Amino acid sequence: MIAAVTAPTRIAPRHRLNFAISLGASLRAELLKLGKRPATWLIAAVWLLLNLGFGYVFPYLTYRGTPTGPHAEQSVPAEQILAEILPSGLAVTAIQGVPLFAGALALIFGVLVTGGEYGWLTVKTVLAQRPGRLALLGGKFAALAIALLAIMTVTFALNAVASALIASVESRPLNWPSGLELAQGFGAGLLIVGMWCALGALAGIALRGTPLGIGLGLVWMLVVENLIRSFAALLGPVDALQKLLPGTNSGALVAALAPPTSTGAEGTPGITDVVSGQHALIVVAVYLVSAVIAACLLFRHRDVV
Amino acid sequence: MPLPSMRGMNDYLIETHGLTKRYGHRLAVDDVELRVNRGEVYGFLGPNGAGKTTTLRMLLGLVRPTSGTALVLDAPPGDPGALARLGMLVETPAFYPYLSGRDNLRVMARYLGVLDAGVSCALDAVDLGTRGADKFAGYSLGMKQRLGVAAALLGEPELLILDEPTNGLDPAGMADMRALIRSLAGNGHTILLSSHMLGEVQQICDRVGVISNGRLVAEGTVAQLRGEGHLMVTADPWDRARGVAEQLFGPERVRVVAESLRLDAAPEDAARINRELVTAGIDVTELRWAERDLEEVFFEMTGGTTSHDINLQGVAQ
């Protein structure tokens, strides 16, 4: 009887249905956990605060006041700063922090959601419940996607309110970006944070915990990639390498959406135009899909000890 | 998977065949043949590091065997359909510290696809109904262990796999847990229970499998493992008494344990050995029929080399 147990040669419809049910069950459980987890709200709050601060508050103060910093004479024209924080600049301004702090926060989020299960040893508890391993992890990725979608939606909504406020205070017309521009900005932002989040989730699984995943992830993102980019202008192979890095391509994807007159390409940290938008889109998408596949393979096949 | 019509052809809820797990050069589990019948409490007994937890993890699908096969509820380990019909408690109970006990169970209920209504019943079953709103992080070890059992009970599983369920509990908590396990068995649950406590296994298990150095060295009911009893004689001087006993029963049926004689004889032989010893001028200070306890059986099977790992608490009770 035992010997008769063989792997099915193809997935029967009943199994697909069972998988869908398990995936839905896992998603519901994961959403309950995310919603009640203080770290989720902390990450979202920091994200929105940084986004508003660096996207609207600081630029507006710079526009209103006379720049007094040591490099004040090199500052961009005040009208150009204002243009970016008016409603017409919403699609790009809302995501200009994505390659840097929002990406870093998304990476931390991803590590917390997968690595936390190892740190608390709950991975054994949940794997002994109904969903199989793939459905369990699928539910996690789906819940992360929903959370990121929600945070990005709130980001755009808050940014819209901020830009409308500035426009009314400055008596400027409410010229909103086109639907296509907004969709492109929203999609690009979601893709970039999705990529960093998936890479974080992979790190959490690979390193079976949160501290090392977060530490190494941030060192890579904020230190190693910047160092590589600083040598790229001097060494040909390093230049070729930087064009394949997730950080470079995140920055390039945002830069591709910024209008040519914008300060974005040169002025915002993490934003670069060393590769084209199309190149960046493909590389970011490949990183996202590869991270999800690698996480699934690792999670499915590795022993839980 | 077996055809539906084959279900119930045997009544093993767990059946392993040559189950083996190797970590590098170390054999953690070696060719284990385990069968757990429907409705029984099966004790999986062994010292720390004998391979109990690794075996249970393979049965849950957490660890893949190096070789061999296992069927749990007629399905390979980790099969979602089978997982839905079993509850487990592996080692220390692991839950989300930022969630309350109730919310932790709600999460597990969602994973299982059962209604939240079962959560209250499970909390009440382990006397946590009034503390369900408290954060798991603030629970005592005993409460955590009980929440683990509550999670195992969600979805009314047929089979419970409990790894050292009384680990870390105080004596009252242990007694409560054992009573809970017996009552669950009385309600028709099949239970596979691992323990390194001989007394515990002796008290609550119908059948026992003894694992040592990764190998299942014996399997049977507690009575079968204990085997026949013996006549225990304490006499002075004990070495002369031994000579008399060996003349009566033959040297192979006489053993000396701590200056007492253990005779492989029938209870009715007591009068004869007493008479012969007294006639020989030997003082008999104790003469009684004794059955072996699981502790002795265990030490015999495992060569006694790991006795320091075994917790004898409860054996004398």
Side-chain angles (χ1 to χ4, degrees):
Chain A
M1 184 169 170
I2 295 172
V5 177
T6 53
T9 49
R10 68 182 181 84
I11 300 172
R14 191 170 64 85
H15 286 102
R16 280 202 293 268
L17 180 65
N18 285 342
F19 181 79
I21 291 170
S22 294
L23 191 67
S26 172
L27 173 61
R28 290 182 66 232
E30 209 60 49
L31 287 175
L32 177 60
K33 283 191 280 178
L34 280 186
K36 297 237 173 191
R37 189 169 181 175
T40 307
W41 298 100
L42 182 66
I43 285 174
V46 171
W47 177 318
L48 295 171
L49 208 63
L50 292 177
N51 169 267
L52 277 180
F54 291 112
Y56 289 91
V57 178
F58 289 174
Y60 184 65
L61 292 177
T62 308
Y63 165 74
R64 291 291 295 173
T66 307
T68 54
H71 299 291
E73 70 281 1
Q74 298 168 16
S75 65
V76 293
E79 273 306 311
Q80 197 173 323
I81 292 176
L82 183 65
E84 287 172 19
I85 56 176
L86 286 174
S88 57
L90 174 65
V92 174
T93 306
I95 61 165
Q96 67 182 2
V98 158
L100 202 63
F101 63 79
L105 289 169
L107 180 133
I108 293 171
F109 196 29
V111 179
L112 287 178
V113 166
T114 56
E117 303 282 2
Y118 291 92
W120 293 318
L121 305 176
T122 44
V123 62
K124 286 183 290 190
T125 310
V126 295
L127 280 178
Q129 309 303 321
R130 184 184 182 126
R133 294 190 179 202
L134 278 186
L136 188 82
L137 191 59
K140 274 192 185 302
F141 277 122
L144 282 171
I146 290 171
L148 292 178
L149 187 70
I151 295 175
M152 283 300 289
T153 304
V154 175
T155 302
F156 268 70
L158 276 180
N159 284 205
V161 171
S163 64
L165 268 177
I166 291 170
S168 78
V169 170
E170 296 300 321
S171 305
R172 303 294 173 118
L174 284 174
N175 291 331
W176 294 103
S178 70
L180 179 65
E181 285 173 319
L182 278 174
Q184 281 178 335
F186 190 89
L190 197 59
L191 193 64
I192 294 166
V193 292
M195 175 196 71
W196 285 117
C197 190
L199 288 170
L202 172 61
I205 292 169
L207 300 169
R208 293 189 174 106
T210 50
L212 205 55
I214 291 175
L216 288 180
L218 291 182
V219 165
W220 172 267
M221 188 179 177
L222 303 177
V223 180
V224 177
E225 283 213 23
N226 278 325
L227 286 174
I228 290 174
R229 277 196 285 275
S230 70
F231 281 100
L234 308 171
L235 300 168
V238 179
D239 184 44
L241 174 66
Q242 74 147 342
K243 290 177 179 169
L244 297 174
L245 297 180
T248 308
N249 285 280
S250 306
L253 193 53
V254 174
L257 296 175
T261 54
S262 160
T263 59
E266 307 92 37
T268 309
I271 295 191
T272 170
D273 56 359
V274 297
V275 294
S276 71
Q278 194 178 17
H279 177 282
L281 179 69
I282 292 168
V283 172
V284 169
V286 166
Y287 270 112
L288 170 59
V289 172
S290 305
V292 171
I293 291 173
C296 288
L297 289 175
L298 202 55
F299 192 64
R300 184 177 188 189
H301 292 290
R302 202 162 55 170
D303 284 349
V304 175
V305 291
Chain B
M1 276 184 62
L3 295 170
S5 60
M6 290 176 69
R7 285 178 184 243
M9 282 186 68
N10 69 43
D11 251 4
Y12 296 133
L13 295 198
I14 294 175
E15 186 175 10
T16 73
H17 185 69
L19 199 63
T20 300
K21 182 65 183 182
R22 182 185 289 276
Y23 292 109
H25 294 296
R26 190 173 69 85
L27 257 180
V29 175
D30 184 10
D31 199 23
V32 165
E33 309 272 333
L34 189 70
R35 281 166 193 84
V36 178
N37 295 305
R38 182 182 298 279
E40 73 176 350
V41 180
Y42 185 100
F44 199 33
L45 179 67
N48 294 329
K52 301 188 297 289
T53 297
T54 305
T55 303
L56 297 192
R57 283 179 180 168
M58 285 193 280
L59 294 179
L60 290 166
L62 297 174
V63 169
R64 282 166 205 275
T66 308
S67 61
T69 53
L71 275 184
V72 178
L73 294 164
D74 289 333
D79 177 82
L83 284 177
R85 294 161 58 206
L86 77 81
M88 74 98 210
L89 178 70
V90 169
E91 291 172 308
T92 47
F95 290 98
Y96 302 98
Y98 58 89
L99 292 179
S100 66
R102 181 177 296 277
D103 280 339
N104 266 299
L105 291 192
R106 285 176 65 211
V107 167
M108 299 309 154
R110 288 187 177 196
Y111 276 125
L112 272 170
V114 299
L115 296 174
D116 278 0
V119 168
S120 294
C121 297
L123 281 172
D124 290 339
V126 296
D127 283 339
L128 278 178
T130 56
R131 299 293 302 275
D134 296 355
K135 290 269 188 289
F136 176 74
Y139 277 13
S140 69
L141 186 58
M143 291 165 70
K144 288 178 178 176
Q145 203 80 355
R146 280 187 280 152
L147 187 69
V149 175
L153 293 176
L154 280 176
E156 300 179 0
E158 299 166 50
L159 171 66
L160 287 166
I161 295 180
L162 309 175
D163 190 6
E164 309 265 4
T166 56
N167 226 4
L169 297 183
D170 60 21
M174 283 186 188
D176 287 348
M177 184 65 76
R178 288 169 189 159
L180 178 65
I181 292 168
R182 286 295 346 165
S183 77
L184 290 171
N187 291 337
H189 291 88
T190 303
I191 299 170
L192 168 59
L193 160 92
S194 86
S195 179
H196 64 282
M197 294 191 182
L198 296 154
E200 179 170 279
V201 167
Q202 198 162 328
Q203 281 173 33
I204 60 179
C205 295
D206 302 313
R207 280 204 312 139
V208 180
V210 179
I211 189 168
S212 176
N213 294 321
R215 291 191 70 86
L216 194 66
V217 291
E219 191 181 41
T221 63
V222 172
Q224 283 171 341
L225 290 183
R226 284 161 67 176
E228 292 295 313
H230 56 259
L231 269 178
M232 195 171 125
V233 181
T234 308
D236 184 33
W238 69 269
D239 50 343
R240 280 187 57 215
R242 177 186 189 173
V244 171
E246 285 182 352
Q247 277 184 345
L248 277 176
F249 300 106
E252 71 283 354
R253 292 171 63 188
V254 178
R255 287 182 302 141
V256 180
V257 177
E259 300 192 356
S260 286
L261 305 183
R262 294 188 183 190
L263 312 180
D264 289 336
E268 52 272 21
D269 289 326
R272 187 156 64 106
I273 181 71
N274 184 45
R275 190 167 55 242
E276 293 293 334
L277 289 172
V278 171
T279 305
I282 298 168
D283 293 337
V284 178
T285 55
E286 185 185 19
L287 176 57
R288 65 183 170 88
W289 176 251
E291 291 182 332
R292 297 193 304 169
D293 61 29
L294 209 50
E295 175 195 3
E296 292 174 72
V297 178
F298 183 83
F299 288 149
E300 280 176 20
M301 286 173 181
T302 59
T305 54
T306 51
S307 58
H308 61 282
D309 286 333
I310 294 293
N311 187 327
L312 301 177
Q313 185 173 359
V315 167
Q317 291 168 5

